[in-house]
Amino acid sequence: MNNFNYIKVSNMPDAITELNGDIRNKLVAGGTNINDLLKYFITKADKLVDINPIKDFNSIFRLENGGVRLGALHTNADTAYDPIIEECYPLLSKAILAGASAQIRNMATNGGNLLQRTRCYYFYDINTPCNKRDPGSGCSAINGYNRIHAILGQSESCIAVFPSDMCVALAALDAVVNIDGPEGERTLPFADFHRIPGDTPHIDNNLTYGEIISGIDIPKKGFEKNYSYLKLRDRSSYSFALVSVATALDIEDSTIKEARIALGGVAHKPWRVIEAEDFLKEKQPSRENFAIAADIILEGAKGYKHNSFKIELAKRAIIRNCIMALNPETQRPGAKPSL
C-alpha cells in the first residue's frame, strides 16, 4: 500500500504552504496521471494536496492585451469546447480533442496536462532500469523495444517522449505559463517550460519544488484562418501519438507571413525549430517549401532499431499538415487535403 496524508486547500497560499517545497508532497487535481504513478509505485507521496477547491483558477477569460488565460484547474474538455477557444484558437481545441478519451478529458486539468509524465514502457515497469524513474540505473529503451520513442533531442540517458497533444498546440501558439510559489509569482515562456533529458531525464520541466501552475496565457494571435493538427497513431481511439504536428500559418496574398510548426511524439518536449519557421517567411505555401522546412526540423534526427520509420513519417506528417492548414475545411471527416 501507498500510505499518505490527504488534505484539501481552498487557496494558493495554503497549497504552497502544504507542499513546503518538498518532493515527497504532491499535488492532485484531475488525478488522471498521479493516480497511475502512485498505483504502479512509480512515485510515492507523503502528502497529497488536493487543489480542486481553489476557484480562482477554474475559468477562461480575456486578457487586456487581447489574449486569453486558461485556468490551470479548468478541465481539458471545458477548454476545448469553450466558445472563445473554438472561435479564436481552433488549433488548441482540435489538439485537445485528439488526446486521451472523453472521460479523461472531462477530468484532466490544463495545469496537469503540462505536468504529465512519459508513457515509456520501461518507465512504467518498475522491474526494469530507467533513468527517468531511478537516476543512474540506465535506459532500457535504447536497446529495447523503442517503437514509440524519441528521434529528436534525446540523450544517452533517455529516449522517452512527452505524451501531450494539448502542449504541442500551446507550443505552436507561443503560450506563457503562469507560476506561483514560495518566492512569489513568475512567468515562463512555454518553449522554456519543458526540458530535454540530457543527464537529468528525471527532471521533466523547470518548475522548482513547491511551485504551482496557476494558468496559461495565449497571445491574441490564434491563426484561426490557417491551422491544422495532425496526430498519427497506431489506433484512432485513446492512443498516444507516434508523430503529431501542430501547424499555424499567417498567409497574405498567397505568401506566408508567419509560420509555426510544433511536433509531438518525437522528443522529450514539444519540438519547434525556429529556423524552419523563418525559412517559410515570405515564401509561397507550396509542397516544395514545406518539404524543405520539414528537413530543417528533422536535421539531426536519430532513430533506433524499432523507430527509425518515425523520421520519414514525421517528414510526411509535417508536409501533409502544412497543406491541410491552407484550408482547414479539408479536416472534416472524409475530406481530402489538396494543394
Side-chain angles (χ1 to χ4, degrees), residues 59-129:
S59 62
I60 292 177
F61 58 88
R62 290 279 190 183
L63 300 171
E64 291 184 359
N65 62 12
V68 167
R69 177 163 297 171
L70 312 178
L73 292 176
H74 212 52
T75 69
N76 289 176
D78 287 343
T79 300
Y81 291 118
D82 185 277
I84 295 175
I85 303 303
E86 287 188 311
E87 179 181 356
C88 302
Y89 304 96
L91 174 61
L92 177 60
S93 179
K94 186 174 177 64
I96 293 173
L97 294 175
S101 65
Q103 295 91 335
I104 291 177
R105 292 193 298 267
N106 286 337
M107 289 294 297
T109 62
N110 293 333
N113 193 288
L114 273 61
L115 298 174
Q116 63 182 299
R117 308 210 66 190
T118 184
R119 266 47 177 197
C120 172
Y121 323 119
Y122 302 102
F123 175 73
Y124 271 88
D125 182 356
I126 61 173
N127 296 308
T128 61

